[in-house]
Amino acid sequence: MTKSGLKDTSVFTPIKVGNVTLSHRVAHLPTTRFRASEDGTPSNLQLQYYKDRSATPGTLLVTEATDTSFKLGHYPNVPGIYTDKHAAGWKEITDAVHANGSAVAVQLWALGRVAPPEVSKARNVPLIGPSAIYHDEETREKAVKIGHELRSLTEEEIHDIIYNQYTNAAKKALDAGFDFIEVHSANGYLLEQFLHPSSNKRNDRYGGSIENRARLLFEIIDHLLTFVPAEKLAVRLSPWNTFQGILAENEEISPVVIHSYIASELQKRANAGKKLAYVSLSYGSITTPDKYGFTYDNTFFLQIWKGIVLRGGQNSSTTDFSGLPAETDDGRTLVGFGRHFIANPDLVKRIEQGWELNKYDRSTFYVYSNEGYNTYPTYEDKSEVDIEAARAQLAEALISE
Ligand code: PHB
């Protein structure tokens, strides 16, 4: 034991999120890992991964970003939540998490303009975004070369996204037994592309003013609220994101403005009896330090939104967790971990006890085998892992045809 654990601090006191009571405030953040089967059905590897990480009763896990539909962009071996088969696979995972006394949210992902053009072409789906503005030159060149260029969504397609695609995914998520459904509107993906004037140059009701740029997000939220209880719905936002071409230099208006509007709209719904379970807020950069010198200060958001907040993005580069109790002392903050949770299946216990952490190995984050996935030992089980065998073990769908 090298540090003192946080056992006797506010981090390890119960908190109610929606209708679920968690036993502590350490949560698993979404982490893209490419370990689903080819058709997006969750795999045996994922079942093991989430089962292990929910072992401490009362833990909240948010799954990796999961395809909302076939049409909104895809990376190979990313899971989906749009077919009955996907839902049946996820059900095995949610059952395992619930058997541990823990809770799990699915994160609904839509790539939009950052989707790999060749994957969209192979699937025979258009490469789409709010506007035909590429996030980088490499994607533009590739799209041009293969004759599958980015184009803006039509209003009819936007309607389909809300009333068919998100609706279908949310229904499947309920079928799959998820405790929460987290709408991903962060990190340069489709819904965040709508929020920013650098990626959204539309001149219809989905572009221009702040209200218009946030319209798609709220039409999705409001429609989901017609059949998903508010206490099961959540949203992820990254006000300071610069990843994937968001907030280009020429964007003159601070992201505080639209995110204050979003916070007020969420709080307005809460005041009217539709309080979302939580807002997942990013406090850090996905890539190396951004060139704008942002401080990732989300105080403005917390002054407006009074509900539960899941803080993420700031805990990967340190193993000194002595500052966490000061964050959770406010009675409404959960602290999220991605990379440390990847490397430490028993992260909750390690933080509770002050046990040393395994180090994460970035080089195996995105490989397709079990290496670097279910190969990290717990603190109490030091038995050797057979890395060669793990390297040979590929994802197998939990559900066969
Ligand atoms: C990623 O796969 O790199 C990724 C996915 C979702 C995020 C951020 C990054 O929100």
Side-chain angles (χ1 to χ4, degrees):
M1 178 155 156
T2 53
K3 299 189 191 86
S4 58
L6 300 183
K7 189 167 48 182
D8 299 320
T9 72
S10 58
V11 176
F12 284 88
T13 53
I15 181 167
K16 201 165 174 214
V17 178
N19 287 333
V20 175
T21 301
L22 305 175
S23 63
H24 61 85
R25 321 284 169 101
V26 177
H28 178 283
L29 291 172
T31 48
T32 300
R33 304 303 304 280
F34 301 150
R35 263 72 169 201
S37 69
E38 250 168 63
D39 72 357
T41 304
S43 71
N44 56 337
L45 304 186
Q46 288 173 284
L47 174 60
Q48 187 69 49
Y49 178 88
Y50 289 112
K51 190 175 172 178
D52 290 349
R53 280 153 189 78
S54 58
T56 297
T59 300
L60 172 64
L61 309 182
V62 184
T63 67
E64 63 215 87
T66 297
D67 288 346
T68 299
S69 92
F70 188 80
K71 298 179 183 171
L72 301 174
H74 176 66
Y75 291 107
N77 295 81
V78 162
I81 182 71
Y82 54 88
T83 68
D84 287 336
K85 196 176 165 200
H86 296 157
W90 280 118
K91 181 76 170 52
E92 296 201 12
I93 294 176
T94 65
D95 282 348
V97 172
H98 293 151
N100 279 338
S102 290
V104 55
V106 64
Q107 193 193 53
L108 299 187
W109 204 17
L111 301 183
R113 70 172 183 169
V114 303
E118 70 283 9
V119 177
S120 295
K121 183 174 184 184
R123 295 185 143 207
N124 201 20
V125 298
L127 183 61
I128 46 79
S131 301
I133 302 169
Y134 291 93
H135 74 292
D136 66 12
E137 186 52 24
E138 194 186 330
T139 307
R140 191 191 68 79
E141 278 171 17
K142 198 189 278 175
V144 170
K145 191 164 163 208
I146 64 170
H148 202 68
E149 291 210 54
L150 176 63
R151 67 161 174 79
S152 59
L153 285 159
T154 64
E155 281 208 44
E156 202 182 342
E157 286 170 325
I158 292 176
H159 194 271
D160 186 63
I161 287 173
I162 303 164
Y163 298 99
N164 294 322
Q165 299 175 50
Y166 272 85
T167 300
N168 172 62
K171 286 185 175 161
K172 299 285 182 246
L174 294 176
D175 291 347
F178 281 105
D179 301 277
F180 305 104
I181 297 170
E182 181 182 300
V183 175
H184 189 333
S185 185
N187 298 331
Y189 296 106
L190 181 67
L191 299 187
E192 198 189 52
Q193 291 158 26
F194 270 84
L195 300 182
H196 287 272
S198 56
S199 41
N200 180 352
K201 306 269 186 217
R202 302 179 71 92
N203 49 26
D204 61 5
R205 20 198 317 273
Y206 296 98
S209 68
I210 282 167
E211 289 85 345
N212 280 359
R213 282 182 273 126
R215 186 180 305 282
L216 173 57
L217 173 61
F218 282 102
E219 286 188 353
I220 289 171
I221 288 176
D222 288 340
H223 187 62
L224 296 187
L225 284 174
T226 64
F227 63 94
V228 179
E231 54 275 9
K232 280 179 165 276
L233 197 62
V235 63
R236 176 146 169 85
L237 299 162
S238 56
W240 303 101
N241 177 45
T242 58
F243 180 50
Q244 304 190 122
I246 291 299
L247 216 80
E249 276 98 342
N250 63 0
E251 215 172 90
E252 284 165 7
I253 303 168
S254 163
V256 165
V257 182
I258 191 160
H259 286 88
S260 297
Y261 170 76
I262 294 170
S264 336
E265 287 297 308
L266 292 172
Q267 188 56 41
K268 205 156 92 184
R269 284 158 180 75
N271 295 343
K274 299 265 185 189
K275 182 174 171 186
L276 297 203
Y278 65 87
V279 176
S280 177
L281 270 185
S282 174
Y283 280 77
S285 169
I286 302 254
T287 44
T288 41
D290 65 79
K291 47 185 185 283
Y292 305 95
F294 292 140
T295 56
Y296 301 96
D297 184 348
N298 291 319
T299 314
F300 74 95
F301 197 98
L302 304 183
Q303 285 169 340
I304 305 167
W305 165 251
K306 307 289 188 203
I308 302 279
V309 174
L310 168 51
R311 283 177 84 113
Q314 69 201 353
N315 294 320
S316 296
S317 51
T318 177
T319 53
D320 175 3
F321 302 137
S322 57
L324 297 186
E327 290 174 12
T328 56
D329 273 350
D330 67 1
R332 56 128 161 194
T333 298
L334 306 172
V335 284
F337 291 85
R339 292 174 210 183
H340 288 317
F341 234 136
I342 286 173
N344 296 275
D346 55 345
L347 181 69
V348 177
K349 276 185 100 173
R350 292 185 193 234
I351 294 176
E352 183 182 42
Q353 301 297 329
W355 294 337
E356 214 169 293
L357 302 192
N358 297 325
K359 287 194 176 50
Y360 55 80
D361 174 7
R362 269 196 82 91
S363 72
T364 55
F365 280 1
Y366 306 116
V367 301
Y368 298 92
S369 76
N370 203 21
E371 184 188 8
Y373 196 54
N374 293 306
T375 51
Y376 290 103
T378 61
Y379 188 79
E380 291 166 300
D381 175 10
K382 298 267 188 328
S383 49
E384 278 292 301
V385 176
D386 183 344
I387 292 291
E388 284 305 317
R391 208 169 276 159
Q393 192 182 5
L394 296 175
E396 280 171 34
L398 287 168
I399 308 294
S400 48
E401 288 310 328

